[in-house]
Amino acid sequence: MRLEAAKSAYRRYANVYDALFGPVLQAGRKAVMQALQVRRGDRVLEVGVGTGLSLPLYPPDVRVTGIDVSGEMLAKARARVQRERLRNVDALLEMDAQAMSFADGSFDKVVAMYVISVVAHPERLLAELRRVCRPGGEIFIVNHVRSDNRAIAAVEKALARFSDQLGFHPDFELRQLAPGTAVLDEISRINFFWKVLRLRPLAGETGTAPG
Ligand SMILES: C[S@@+](CC[C@H](N)C(=O)[O-])C[C@H]1O[C@@H](n2cnc3c(N)ncnc32)[C@H](O)[C@@H]1O
């Protein structure tokens, strides 16, 4: 989904996002928190942080930075930080996750929940996640992947032309994720639609975004 289309879709969603996608996507957020295994002081980056539904789930002794392209979604996240007095959130920044301004290796853990199949260039996003993750760090992803069931996959493919309206690509292909540069583990399957994945960049492989 092009940047402007994403901004426009999530501008429309911002006021209703928590009601529509709060409880229904919460299992994936909780599964990532369990898998994270953070240490005191760890620097965590969450890309596509949205309205910040995950923010209250992070342990209080880590430092969290969130980014999103939607100013409207971020406004909700900032209000949540204030309302819930979340002192572990360092910054919520408007930024494209496909071209981040952070230095290489800035974060111990990087989290991308329900966002990879939303962006126009998932391979650039993944390269950026690897670049900003420190050597030995870990990247956690919750994403929809194209169904192995042929009938469902056919429906997903048919829906793909409406990606801009839906706000994500229904036929996202898992094999795009880590072509030879990282170890990809499936941590858990939330349901037939959503999976939690962990990506550990291979030694010497920093993300270099393809042109
Ligand atoms: C489906 S929502 C997920 C929000 C949140 N992670 C959650 O668990 O509810 C996708 C989010 O990704 C954001 N987004 C889309 N494209 C982006 C990009 N290129 N860079 C950063 N955020 C992006 C959208 O604005 C939206 O807030």
PDB file of all heavy atoms in Angstrom, residues 164-194:
ATOM      1  N   ASP A 164      -5.770  -1.428  -1.040  1.00  0.00           N
ATOM      2  CA  ASP A 164      -5.745  -0.032  -0.593  1.00  0.00           C
ATOM      3  C   ASP A 164      -6.963   0.300   0.268  1.00  0.00           C
ATOM      4  O   ASP A 164      -6.868   1.049   1.235  1.00  0.00           O
ATOM      5  CB  ASP A 164      -5.679   0.924  -1.793  1.00  0.00           C
ATOM      6  CG  ASP A 164      -4.253   1.081  -2.309  1.00  0.00           C
ATOM      7  OD1 ASP A 164      -3.332   0.454  -1.731  1.00  0.00           O
ATOM      8  OD2 ASP A 164      -4.057   1.814  -3.285  1.00  0.00           O
ATOM      9  N   GLN A 165      -8.113  -0.251  -0.092  1.00  0.00           N
ATOM     10  CA  GLN A 165      -9.327   0.018   0.692  1.00  0.00           C
ATOM     11  C   GLN A 165      -9.304  -0.760   2.016  1.00  0.00           C
ATOM     12  O   GLN A 165      -9.715  -0.255   3.056  1.00  0.00           O
ATOM     13  CB  GLN A 165     -10.591  -0.382  -0.084  1.00  0.00           C
ATOM     14  CG  GLN A 165     -10.946   0.541  -1.241  1.00  0.00           C
ATOM     15  CD  GLN A 165     -10.063   0.294  -2.466  1.00  0.00           C
ATOM     16  OE1 GLN A 165      -9.506  -0.780  -2.638  1.00  0.00           O
ATOM     17  NE2 GLN A 165      -9.919   1.316  -3.291  1.00  0.00           N
ATOM     18  N   LEU A 166      -8.815  -2.008   1.964  1.00  0.00           N
ATOM     19  CA  LEU A 166      -8.804  -2.855   3.161  1.00  0.00           C
ATOM     20  C   LEU A 166      -7.784  -2.388   4.185  1.00  0.00           C
ATOM     21  O   LEU A 166      -7.961  -2.558   5.391  1.00  0.00           O
ATOM     22  CB  LEU A 166      -8.469  -4.302   2.778  1.00  0.00           C
ATOM     23  CG  LEU A 166      -9.551  -5.095   2.040  1.00  0.00           C
ATOM     24  CD1 LEU A 166      -8.963  -6.391   1.486  1.00  0.00           C
ATOM     25  CD2 LEU A 166     -10.701  -5.416   2.979  1.00  0.00           C
ATOM     26  N   GLY A 167      -6.669  -1.847   3.678  1.00  0.00           N
ATOM     27  CA  GLY A 167      -5.608  -1.428   4.590  1.00  0.00           C
ATOM     28  C   GLY A 167      -4.544  -2.492   4.775  1.00  0.00           C
ATOM     29  O   GLY A 167      -3.634  -2.333   5.582  1.00  0.00           O
ATOM     30  N   PHE A 168      -4.600  -3.615   4.068  1.00  0.00           N
ATOM     31  CA  PHE A 168      -3.533  -4.611   4.091  1.00  0.00           C
ATOM     32  C   PHE A 168      -3.659  -5.513   2.864  1.00  0.00           C
ATOM     33  O   PHE A 168      -4.687  -5.509   2.189  1.00  0.00           O
ATOM     34  CB  PHE A 168      -3.558  -5.444   5.378  1.00  0.00           C
ATOM     35  CG  PHE A 168      -4.693  -6.429   5.448  1.00  0.00           C
ATOM     36  CD1 PHE A 168      -4.471  -7.781   5.218  1.00  0.00           C
ATOM     37  CD2 PHE A 168      -5.973  -6.018   5.749  1.00  0.00           C
ATOM     38  CE1 PHE A 168      -5.506  -8.701   5.281  1.00  0.00           C
ATOM     39  CE2 PHE A 168      -7.016  -6.925   5.803  1.00  0.00           C
ATOM     40  CZ  PHE A 168      -6.793  -8.271   5.580  1.00  0.00           C
ATOM     41  N   HIS A 169      -2.575  -6.283   2.597  1.00  0.00           N
ATOM     42  CA  HIS A 169      -2.585  -7.202   1.456  1.00  0.00           C
ATOM     43  C   HIS A 169      -3.058  -8.573   1.915  1.00  0.00           C
ATOM     44  O   HIS A 169      -2.327  -9.267   2.625  1.00  0.00           O
ATOM     45  CB  HIS A 169      -1.176  -7.325   0.865  1.00  0.00           C
ATOM     46  CG  HIS A 169      -0.720  -6.091   0.171  1.00  0.00           C
ATOM     47  ND1 HIS A 169      -1.041  -5.796  -1.125  1.00  0.00           N
ATOM     48  CD2 HIS A 169       0.003  -5.043   0.615  1.00  0.00           C
ATOM     49  CE1 HIS A 169      -0.522  -4.634  -1.461  1.00  0.00           C
ATOM     50  NE2 HIS A 169       0.114  -4.153  -0.413  1.00  0.00           N
ATOM     51  N   PRO A 170      -4.243  -9.006   1.505  1.00  0.00           N
ATOM     52  CA  PRO A 170      -4.759 -10.279   2.004  1.00  0.00           C
ATOM     53  C   PRO A 170      -3.998 -11.496   1.500  1.00  0.00           C
ATOM     54  O   PRO A 170      -4.106 -12.565   2.075  1.00  0.00           O
ATOM     55  CB  PRO A 170      -6.206 -10.317   1.491  1.00  0.00           C
ATOM     56  CG  PRO A 170      -6.444  -9.082   0.741  1.00  0.00           C
ATOM     57  CD  PRO A 170      -5.169  -8.312   0.622  1.00  0.00           C
ATOM     58  N   ASP A 171      -3.205 -11.342   0.425  1.00  0.00           N
ATOM     59  CA  ASP A 171      -2.500 -12.516  -0.117  1.00  0.00           C
ATOM     60  C   ASP A 171      -1.002 -12.445   0.133  1.00  0.00           C
ATOM     61  O   ASP A 171      -0.205 -12.911  -0.663  1.00  0.00           O
ATOM     62  CB  ASP A 171      -2.788 -12.675  -1.617  1.00  0.00           C
ATOM     63  CG  ASP A 171      -2.209 -11.521  -2.436  1.00  0.00           C
ATOM     64  OD1 ASP A 171      -1.955 -10.449  -1.840  1.00  0.00           O
ATOM     65  OD2 ASP A 171      -2.019 -11.702  -3.643  1.00  0.00           O
ATOM     66  N   PHE A 172      -0.616 -11.881   1.250  1.00  0.00           N
ATOM     67  CA  PHE A 172       0.801 -11.708   1.569  1.00  0.00           C
ATOM     68  C   PHE A 172       1.515 -13.062   1.624  1.00  0.00           C
ATOM     69  O   PHE A 172       1.020 -14.020   2.205  1.00  0.00           O
ATOM     70  CB  PHE A 172       0.962 -10.993   2.903  1.00  0.00           C
ATOM     71  CG  PHE A 172       2.366 -10.576   3.165  1.00  0.00           C
ATOM     72  CD1 PHE A 172       2.911  -9.493   2.497  1.00  0.00           C
ATOM     73  CD2 PHE A 172       3.160 -11.267   4.050  1.00  0.00           C
ATOM     74  CE1 PHE A 172       4.212  -9.103   2.716  1.00  0.00           C
ATOM     75  CE2 PHE A 172       4.466 -10.891   4.272  1.00  0.00           C
ATOM     76  CZ  PHE A 172       4.989  -9.812   3.603  1.00  0.00           C
ATOM     77  N   GLU A 173       2.689 -13.121   1.030  1.00  0.00           N
ATOM     78  CA  GLU A 173       3.408 -14.390   0.911  1.00  0.00           C
ATOM     79  C   GLU A 173       4.572 -14.438   1.906  1.00  0.00           C
ATOM     80  O   GLU A 173       5.456 -13.578   1.868  1.00  0.00           O
ATOM     81  CB  GLU A 173       3.904 -14.539  -0.538  1.00  0.00           C
ATOM     82  CG  GLU A 173       4.790 -15.716  -0.792  1.00  0.00           C
ATOM     83  CD  GLU A 173       4.147 -17.022  -0.374  1.00  0.00           C
ATOM     84  OE1 GLU A 173       3.304 -17.525  -1.143  1.00  0.00           O
ATOM     85  OE2 GLU A 173       4.488 -17.540   0.712  1.00  0.00           O
ATOM     86  N   LEU A 174       4.554 -15.452   2.767  1.00  0.00           N
ATOM     87  CA  LEU A 174       5.566 -15.589   3.818  1.00  0.00           C
ATOM     88  C   LEU A 174       6.987 -15.646   3.270  1.00  0.00           C
ATOM     89  O   LEU A 174       7.919 -15.129   3.870  1.00  0.00           O
ATOM     90  CB  LEU A 174       5.263 -16.869   4.614  1.00  0.00           C
ATOM     91  CG  LEU A 174       6.260 -17.297   5.680  1.00  0.00           C
ATOM     92  CD1 LEU A 174       6.326 -16.258   6.779  1.00  0.00           C
ATOM     93  CD2 LEU A 174       5.869 -18.639   6.265  1.00  0.00           C
ATOM     94  N   ARG A 175       7.155 -16.254   2.093  1.00  0.00           N
ATOM     95  CA  ARG A 175       8.508 -16.450   1.563  1.00  0.00           C
ATOM     96  C   ARG A 175       9.201 -15.136   1.223  1.00  0.00           C
ATOM     97  O   ARG A 175      10.409 -15.102   1.056  1.00  0.00           O
ATOM     98  CB  ARG A 175       8.465 -17.363   0.334  1.00  0.00           C
ATOM     99  CG  ARG A 175       8.351 -18.831   0.715  1.00  0.00           C
ATOM    100  CD  ARG A 175       8.409 -19.706  -0.513  1.00  0.00           C
ATOM    101  NE  ARG A 175       7.169 -19.644  -1.273  1.00  0.00           N
ATOM    102  CZ  ARG A 175       6.118 -20.402  -1.013  1.00  0.00           C
ATOM    103  NH1 ARG A 175       6.153 -21.281  -0.027  1.00  0.00           N
ATOM    104  NH2 ARG A 175       5.011 -20.304  -1.727  1.00  0.00           N
ATOM    105  N   GLN A 176       8.442 -14.026   1.120  1.00  0.00           N
ATOM    106  CA  GLN A 176       9.087 -12.725   0.874  1.00  0.00           C
ATOM    107  C   GLN A 176       9.920 -12.272   2.073  1.00  0.00           C
ATOM    108  O   GLN A 176      10.719 -11.364   1.961  1.00  0.00           O
ATOM    109  CB  GLN A 176       8.033 -11.632   0.642  1.00  0.00           C
ATOM    110  CG  GLN A 176       7.269 -11.751  -0.653  1.00  0.00           C
ATOM    111  CD  GLN A 176       6.151 -10.717  -0.710  1.00  0.00           C
ATOM    112  OE1 GLN A 176       5.976  -9.938   0.212  1.00  0.00           O
ATOM    113  NE2 GLN A 176       5.395 -10.719  -1.780  1.00  0.00           N
ATOM    114  N   LEU A 177       9.660 -12.893   3.224  1.00  0.00           N
ATOM    115  CA  LEU A 177      10.154 -12.296   4.460  1.00  0.00           C
ATOM    116  C   LEU A 177      11.664 -12.285   4.663  1.00  0.00           C
ATOM    117  O   LEU A 177      12.223 -11.268   5.005  1.00  0.00           O
ATOM    118  CB  LEU A 177       9.496 -12.979   5.675  1.00  0.00           C
ATOM    119  CG  LEU A 177       8.113 -12.468   6.028  1.00  0.00           C
ATOM    120  CD1 LEU A 177       7.532 -13.241   7.194  1.00  0.00           C
ATOM    121  CD2 LEU A 177       8.164 -10.989   6.395  1.00  0.00           C
ATOM    122  N   ALA A 178      12.328 -13.400   4.523  1.00  0.00           N
ATOM    123  CA  ALA A 178      13.735 -13.447   4.944  1.00  0.00           C
ATOM    124  C   ALA A 178      14.581 -14.220   3.949  1.00  0.00           C
ATOM    125  O   ALA A 178      15.078 -15.297   4.254  1.00  0.00           O
ATOM    126  CB  ALA A 178      13.824 -14.088   6.320  1.00  0.00           C
ATOM    127  N   PRO A 179      14.776 -13.671   2.780  1.00  0.00           N
ATOM    128  CA  PRO A 179      15.500 -14.437   1.769  1.00  0.00           C
ATOM    129  C   PRO A 179      16.996 -14.539   2.063  1.00  0.00           C
ATOM    130  O   PRO A 179      17.789 -13.758   1.574  1.00  0.00           O
ATOM    131  CB  PRO A 179      15.214 -13.662   0.473  1.00  0.00           C
ATOM    132  CG  PRO A 179      14.916 -12.265   0.917  1.00  0.00           C
ATOM    133  CD  PRO A 179      14.435 -12.320   2.331  1.00  0.00           C
ATOM    134  N   GLY A 180      17.381 -15.505   2.913  1.00  0.00           N
ATOM    135  CA  GLY A 180      18.784 -15.835   3.120  1.00  0.00           C
ATOM    136  C   GLY A 180      19.574 -14.908   4.016  1.00  0.00           C
ATOM    137  O   GLY A 180      20.794 -15.036   4.106  1.00  0.00           O
ATOM    138  N   THR A 181      18.935 -13.961   4.664  1.00  0.00           N
ATOM    139  CA  THR A 181      19.694 -13.003   5.467  1.00  0.00           C
ATOM    140  C   THR A 181      19.391 -13.107   6.958  1.00  0.00           C
ATOM    141  O   THR A 181      19.989 -12.408   7.747  1.00  0.00           O
ATOM    142  CB  THR A 181      19.365 -11.563   5.039  1.00  0.00           C
ATOM    143  OG1 THR A 181      17.952 -11.381   5.141  1.00  0.00           O
ATOM    144  CG2 THR A 181      19.816 -11.284   3.629  1.00  0.00           C
ATOM    145  N   ALA A 182      18.446 -13.966   7.298  1.00  0.00           N
ATOM    146  CA  ALA A 182      18.047 -14.046   8.700  1.00  0.00           C
ATOM    147  C   ALA A 182      17.415 -15.402   8.953  1.00  0.00           C
ATOM    148  O   ALA A 182      16.940 -16.058   8.031  1.00  0.00           O
ATOM    149  CB  ALA A 182      17.043 -12.936   9.010  1.00  0.00           C
ATOM    150  N   VAL A 183      17.443 -15.800  10.228  1.00  0.00           N
ATOM    151  CA  VAL A 183      16.741 -17.022  10.613  1.00  0.00           C
ATOM    152  C   VAL A 183      15.331 -16.639  10.999  1.00  0.00           C
ATOM    153  O   VAL A 183      15.118 -15.725  11.795  1.00  0.00           O
ATOM    154  CB  VAL A 183      17.445 -17.695  11.813  1.00  0.00           C
ATOM    155  CG1 VAL A 183      16.661 -18.927  12.257  1.00  0.00           C
ATOM    156  CG2 VAL A 183      18.864 -18.045  11.446  1.00  0.00           C
ATOM    157  N   LEU A 184      14.374 -17.329  10.402  1.00  0.00           N
ATOM    158  CA  LEU A 184      12.975 -17.006  10.643  1.00  0.00           C
ATOM    159  C   LEU A 184      12.320 -18.174  11.365  1.00  0.00           C
ATOM    160  O   LEU A 184      12.313 -19.288  10.865  1.00  0.00           O
ATOM    161  CB  LEU A 184      12.291 -16.780   9.289  1.00  0.00           C
ATOM    162  CG  LEU A 184      10.819 -16.427   9.305  1.00  0.00           C
ATOM    163  CD1 LEU A 184      10.602 -15.060   9.921  1.00  0.00           C
ATOM    164  CD2 LEU A 184      10.280 -16.428   7.875  1.00  0.00           C
ATOM    165  N   ASP A 185      11.824 -17.929  12.581  1.00  0.00           N
ATOM    166  CA  ASP A 185      11.135 -18.979  13.338  1.00  0.00           C
ATOM    167  C   ASP A 185       9.684 -18.597  13.480  1.00  0.00           C
ATOM    168  O   ASP A 185       9.363 -17.427  13.717  1.00  0.00           O
ATOM    169  CB  ASP A 185      11.674 -19.084  14.780  1.00  0.00           C
ATOM    170  CG  ASP A 185      13.152 -19.378  14.802  1.00  0.00           C
ATOM    171  OD1 ASP A 185      13.557 -20.268  14.056  1.00  0.00           O
ATOM    172  OD2 ASP A 185      13.863 -18.698  15.559  1.00  0.00           O
ATOM    173  N   GLU A 186       8.844 -19.614  13.375  1.00  0.00           N
ATOM    174  CA  GLU A 186       7.435 -19.373  13.700  1.00  0.00           C
ATOM    175  C   GLU A 186       7.274 -19.626  15.190  1.00  0.00           C
ATOM    176  O   GLU A 186       7.483 -20.722  15.667  1.00  0.00           O
ATOM    177  CB  GLU A 186       6.545 -20.325  12.896  1.00  0.00           C
ATOM    178  CG  GLU A 186       5.082 -20.070  13.141  1.00  0.00           C
ATOM    179  CD  GLU A 186       4.185 -20.991  12.321  1.00  0.00           C
ATOM    180  OE1 GLU A 186       4.540 -21.323  11.173  1.00  0.00           O
ATOM    181  OE2 GLU A 186       3.127 -21.370  12.857  1.00  0.00           O
ATOM    182  N   ILE A 187       6.944 -18.590  15.956  1.00  0.00           N
ATOM    183  CA  ILE A 187       6.832 -18.719  17.406  1.00  0.00           C
ATOM    184  C   ILE A 187       5.482 -19.312  17.765  1.00  0.00           C
ATOM    185  O   ILE A 187       5.375 -20.192  18.597  1.00  0.00           O
ATOM    186  CB  ILE A 187       6.949 -17.334  18.091  1.00  0.00           C
ATOM    187  CG1 ILE A 187       8.254 -16.652  17.722  1.00  0.00           C
ATOM    188  CG2 ILE A 187       6.766 -17.425  19.580  1.00  0.00           C
ATOM    189  CD1 ILE A 187       9.426 -17.078  18.524  1.00  0.00           C
ATOM    190  N   SER A 188       4.446 -18.784  17.162  1.00  0.00           N
ATOM    191  CA  SER A 188       3.118 -19.339  17.432  1.00  0.00           C
ATOM    192  C   SER A 188       2.145 -18.938  16.347  1.00  0.00           C
ATOM    193  O   SER A 188       2.374 -17.967  15.608  1.00  0.00           O
ATOM    194  CB  SER A 188       2.606 -18.888  18.804  1.00  0.00           C
ATOM    195  OG  SER A 188       2.558 -17.494  18.865  1.00  0.00           O
ATOM    196  N   ARG A 189       1.101 -19.706  16.246  1.00  0.00           N
ATOM    197  CA  ARG A 189       0.036 -19.418  15.294  1.00  0.00           C
ATOM    198  C   ARG A 189      -1.161 -18.979  16.145  1.00  0.00           C
ATOM    199  O   ARG A 189      -1.661 -19.741  16.970  1.00  0.00           O
ATOM    200  CB  ARG A 189      -0.292 -20.697  14.525  1.00  0.00           C
ATOM    201  CG  ARG A 189      -1.346 -20.535  13.469  1.00  0.00           C
ATOM    202  CD  ARG A 189      -1.630 -21.887  12.842  1.00  0.00           C
ATOM    203  NE  ARG A 189      -0.732 -22.174  11.743  1.00  0.00           N
ATOM    204  CZ  ARG A 189      -1.012 -21.884  10.457  1.00  0.00           C
ATOM    205  NH1 ARG A 189      -2.161 -21.326  10.143  1.00  0.00           N
ATOM    206  NH2 ARG A 189      -0.165 -22.174   9.519  1.00  0.00           N
ATOM    207  N   ILE A 190      -1.564 -17.736  15.959  1.00  0.00           N
ATOM    208  CA  ILE A 190      -2.664 -17.207  16.771  1.00  0.00           C
ATOM    209  C   ILE A 190      -3.977 -17.857  16.323  1.00  0.00           C
ATOM    210  O   ILE A 190      -4.813 -18.254  17.130  1.00  0.00           O
ATOM    211  CB  ILE A 190      -2.788 -15.673  16.610  1.00  0.00           C
ATOM    212  CG1 ILE A 190      -1.449 -14.976  16.876  1.00  0.00           C
ATOM    213  CG2 ILE A 190      -3.884 -15.108  17.499  1.00  0.00           C
ATOM    214  CD1 ILE A 190      -0.921 -15.133  18.254  1.00  0.00           C
ATOM    215  N   ASN A 191      -4.137 -17.921  15.008  1.00  0.00           N
ATOM    216  CA  ASN A 191      -5.284 -18.597  14.395  1.00  0.00           C
ATOM    217  C   ASN A 191      -4.896 -18.852  12.939  1.00  0.00           C
ATOM    218  O   ASN A 191      -3.738 -18.641  12.570  1.00  0.00           O
ATOM    219  CB  ASN A 191      -6.569 -17.754  14.513  1.00  0.00           C
ATOM    220  CG  ASN A 191      -6.354 -16.338  14.007  1.00  0.00           C
ATOM    221  OD1 ASN A 191      -5.665 -16.116  13.022  1.00  0.00           O
ATOM    222  ND2 ASN A 191      -6.928 -15.363  14.695  1.00  0.00           N
ATOM    223  N   PHE A 192      -5.812 -19.263  12.109  1.00  0.00           N
ATOM    224  CA  PHE A 192      -5.410 -19.604  10.738  1.00  0.00           C
ATOM    225  C   PHE A 192      -4.918 -18.368   9.980  1.00  0.00           C
ATOM    226  O   PHE A 192      -4.229 -18.465   8.974  1.00  0.00           O
ATOM    227  CB  PHE A 192      -6.565 -20.301   9.992  1.00  0.00           C
ATOM    228  CG  PHE A 192      -7.557 -19.361   9.367  1.00  0.00           C
ATOM    229  CD1 PHE A 192      -7.443 -19.005   8.026  1.00  0.00           C
ATOM    230  CD2 PHE A 192      -8.583 -18.814  10.118  1.00  0.00           C
ATOM    231  CE1 PHE A 192      -8.340 -18.129   7.454  1.00  0.00           C
ATOM    232  CE2 PHE A 192      -9.472 -17.930   9.545  1.00  0.00           C
ATOM    233  CZ  PHE A 192      -9.357 -17.580   8.213  1.00  0.00           C
ATOM    234  N   PHE A 193      -5.230 -17.193  10.506  1.00  0.00           N
ATOM    235  CA  PHE A 193      -4.947 -15.944   9.810  1.00  0.00           C
ATOM    236  C   PHE A 193      -3.628 -15.307  10.239  1.00  0.00           C
ATOM    237  O   PHE A 193      -2.873 -14.808   9.422  1.00  0.00           O
ATOM    238  CB  PHE A 193      -6.106 -14.987  10.081  1.00  0.00           C
ATOM    239  CG  PHE A 193      -6.349 -13.989   9.001  1.00  0.00           C
ATOM    240  CD1 PHE A 193      -6.858 -14.395   7.778  1.00  0.00           C
ATOM    241  CD2 PHE A 193      -6.092 -12.651   9.204  1.00  0.00           C
ATOM    242  CE1 PHE A 193      -7.090 -13.470   6.775  1.00  0.00           C
ATOM    243  CE2 PHE A 193      -6.325 -11.725   8.213  1.00  0.00           C
ATOM    244  CZ  PHE A 193      -6.827 -12.135   6.993  1.00  0.00           C
ATOM    245  N   TRP A 194      -3.364 -15.317  11.551  1.00  0.00           N
ATOM    246  CA  TRP A 194      -2.220 -14.563  12.086  1.00  0.00           C
ATOM    247  C   TRP A 194      -1.158 -15.489  12.667  1.00  0.00           C
ATOM    248  O   TRP A 194      -1.481 -16.434  13.376  1.00  0.00           O
ATOM    249  CB  TRP A 194      -2.687 -13.618  13.202  1.00  0.00           C
ATOM    250  CG  TRP A 194      -3.702 -12.624  12.771  1.00  0.00           C
ATOM    251  CD1 TRP A 194      -5.020 -12.601  13.119  1.00  0.00           C
ATOM    252  CD2 TRP A 194      -3.507 -11.504  11.910  1.00  0.00           C
ATOM    253  NE1 TRP A 194      -5.649 -11.538  12.539  1.00  0.00           N
ATOM    254  CE2 TRP A 194      -4.746 -10.842  11.778  1.00  0.00           C
ATOM    255  CE3 TRP A 194      -2.397 -10.984  11.237  1.00  0.00           C
ATOM    256  CZ2 TRP A 194      -4.911  -9.707  10.998  1.00  0.00           C
ATOM    257  CZ3 TRP A 194      -2.563  -9.848  10.459  1.00  0.00           C
ATOM    258  CH2 TRP A 194      -3.805  -9.230  10.353  1.00  0.00           C
TER     259      TRP A 194
END
